[in-house]
């Protein structure tokens, strides 16, 4: 496993972070709790020391239980929503209650990275005005080490919220959507994070589109119909064939994780899965060499300017 420094935090993290949410939720979405526990245990065995979860995922207790004896070797990232079910902002004291519940479920007395979860551009100002001060008090108490923010990439595909958030120099970590189909964080987010030494967690490296040929084809057809990519430069029947046919690349999923992991400014890539076998393969992908230059150039020519899709 490769390790790297996470922004300016002093945390030494594995280049792969275990994503305990997404559609798989460690396998809890379709399988049993023992499957989820097995995935976390396997992650530990593979050398993964970074675990990203959230109150809403329902996986904090699995991470807390399995990693109880390993806490000092692990980095825990968890999150609180900022809106309630009615769509109203959560009161600041409830944000702190959410932190307390996360501490309890993760069986720990501190969270390494506490994130505001899925903040929309129009919500950022309220969050900055109302949540940062109380959260900084929790930092002073030692219950939180670093503050982070995650974007709602499904809606905010061009990173409007994160661009604004990074102007504030409040957050030590950002979680950003980035993948072969929408590499817009390359210009908008990574340079500024690199300059200011803000830790970067990449999400949506694969998500649903890049693990399913039908979905990839639909996303690409839509982009071509909307003239966001050049129709003439794609092979209509098999738009990602140039990747699948390359002898140095095992699969589109492998290419997707390799694409993210060797990007300048990326600290770690989150991998979401309910399968130990997928996790092993994905760790190999993240740790392997950058994609061949001709593949990177082709991807850049095709999708380099796309910022309208998330790849879900
Ligand atoms: N706004 C936010 O804060 C936010 C939003 C979304 C995600 N996140 C975080 O980011 C993490 C990563 O996102 P994600 O879970 O969507 O992860 P991802 O790694 O981009 O994609 C995961 C999907 O790809 C499939 N997959 C993984 N490896 C595979 C392989 N080798 N072969 C075939 N299919 C494979 C998984 O299914 P299998 O289970 O079958 O492997 C799963 O459906 C989440 O877990 C969560 O921690 C945060």
């Amino acid at each position: 496993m490769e390790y790297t420094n996470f922004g300016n935090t002093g945390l030494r993290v594995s280049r792969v972070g275990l994503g305990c949410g997404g559609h798989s939720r460690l396998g809890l979405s379709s399988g049993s709790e023992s499957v989820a526990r097995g995935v976390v245990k396997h992650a530990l065995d593979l050398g993964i020391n970074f675990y990203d979860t959230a109150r809403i995922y329902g996986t904090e207790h699995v991470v807390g239980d399995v990693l109880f004896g390993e806490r000092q070797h692990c980095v825990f990232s968890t999150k609180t929503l900022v809106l309630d079910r009615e769509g109203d902002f959560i009161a600041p004291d409830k944000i702190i209650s959410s932190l307390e519940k996360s501490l309890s479920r993760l069986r720990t007395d501190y969270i390494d990275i506490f994130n505001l979860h899925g903040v929309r551009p129009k919500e950022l100002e309220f969050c900055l005005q109302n949540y940062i001060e109380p959260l900084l008090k929790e930092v002073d108490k030692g219950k939180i080490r670093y503050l982070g923010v995650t974007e709602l990439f499904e809606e905010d595909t061009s990173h409007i919220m994160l661009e604004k958030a990074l102007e504030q120099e409040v957050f030590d970590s950002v979680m950003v959507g980035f993948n072969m189909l929408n590499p817009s964080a390359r210009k908008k987010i990574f340079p500024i994070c690199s300059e200011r030494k803000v830790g970067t967690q990449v999400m949506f490296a694969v998500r649903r589109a890049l693990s399913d040929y039908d979905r990839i084809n639909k996303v690409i057809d839509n982009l071509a119909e909307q003239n966001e990519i050049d129709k003439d430069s794609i092979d209509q029947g098999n738009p990602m064939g140039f990747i699948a046919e390359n002898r140095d690349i095992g699969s589109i999923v492998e290419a997707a994780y390799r694409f993210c992991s060797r990007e300048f400014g990326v600290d770690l890539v989150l991998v979401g899965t309910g399968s130990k076998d997928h996790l092993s393969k994905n760790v190999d992908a993240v740790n392997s060499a950058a994609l061949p230059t001709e593949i990177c150039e082709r991807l850049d020519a095709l999708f380099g300017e796309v910022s309208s899709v998330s790849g879900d």
Side-chain angles (χ1 to χ4, degrees), residues 258-271:
R258 281 171 71 180
F259 175 82
C260 294
S261 99
R262 297 298 165 194
E263 180 70 25
F264 173 76
V266 170
D267 289 336
L268 64 88
V269 181
L270 293 172
V271 164

Side-chain angles (χ1 to χ4, degrees), residues 27-189:
L28 275 183
S29 298
S30 55
S32 67
E33 196 140 313
S34 72
V35 169
R37 285 170 193 275
V39 171
V40 177
K41 175 78 177 57
H42 191 57
L44 187 68
D45 293 343
L46 291 170
I48 293 176
N49 74 351
F50 192 100
Y51 297 82
D52 176 68
T53 179
R55 284 283 313 289
I56 191 90
Y57 299 161
T59 53
E60 286 179 320
H61 68 289
V62 178
V63 174
D65 288 352
V66 176
L67 300 178
F68 184 64
E70 298 289 337
R71 178 65 185 100
Q72 71 274 29
H73 308 300
C74 295
V75 175
F76 286 176
S77 162
T78 193
K79 321 185 187 78
T80 175
L81 292 175
V82 300
L83 299 184
D84 63 18
R85 285 195 187 141
E86 282 72 46
D88 297 321
F89 282 107
I90 293 175
D93 61 318
K94 295 266 167 42
I95 296 279
I96 304 307
S97 317
S98 180
L99 164 68
E100 293 294 345
K101 284 180 189 145
S102 290
L103 288 167
S104 159
R105 288 183 187 143
L106 283 163
R107 300 181 66 185
T108 180
D109 45 20
Y110 67 96
I111 304 294
D112 297 282
I113 301 167
F114 193 69
N115 302 275
L116 300 177
H117 192 168
V119 176
R120 294 178 173 84
K122 64 181 182 200
E123 295 161 2
L124 179 67
E125 196 52 39
F126 183 95
C127 295
L128 293 171
Q129 295 294 327
N130 294 279
Y131 300 150
I132 300 304
E133 205 181 301
L135 286 171
L136 286 175
K137 287 189 184 144
E138 302 304 310
V139 173
D140 288 343
K141 288 181 207 162
K143 293 189 178 183
I144 296 174
R145 295 185 74 190
Y146 302 102
L147 292 185
V149 63
T150 80
E151 66 183 357
L152 198 65
F153 190 48
E154 301 92 312
E155 291 178 17
D156 184 9
T157 54
S158 59
H159 319 290
I160 294 167
M161 186 283 295
L162 280 184
E163 270 191 302
K164 282 193 195 149
L166 284 164
E167 286 169 10
Q168 305 299 319
E169 303 196 25
V170 165
F171 298 106
D172 306 295
S173 164
V174 296
M175 189 184 294
V176 53
F178 178 69
N179 57 45
M180 298 194 294
L181 303 171
N182 177 351
S184 56
R186 174 179 291 160
K187 286 182 191 153
K188 294 190 162 184
I189 303 299

Side-chain angles (χ1 to χ4, degrees), residues 1-3 14-16 46 257-258 261-262 280-290:
M1 176 63 68
E2 273 183 44
Y3 297 85
S14 46
R15 301 290 325 281
V16 178
L46 291 170
Y257 287 121
R258 281 171 71 180
S261 99
R262 297 298 165 194
S280 297
K281 288 186 175 136
N282 301 343
V283 165
D284 287 345
V286 171
N287 284 332
S288 60

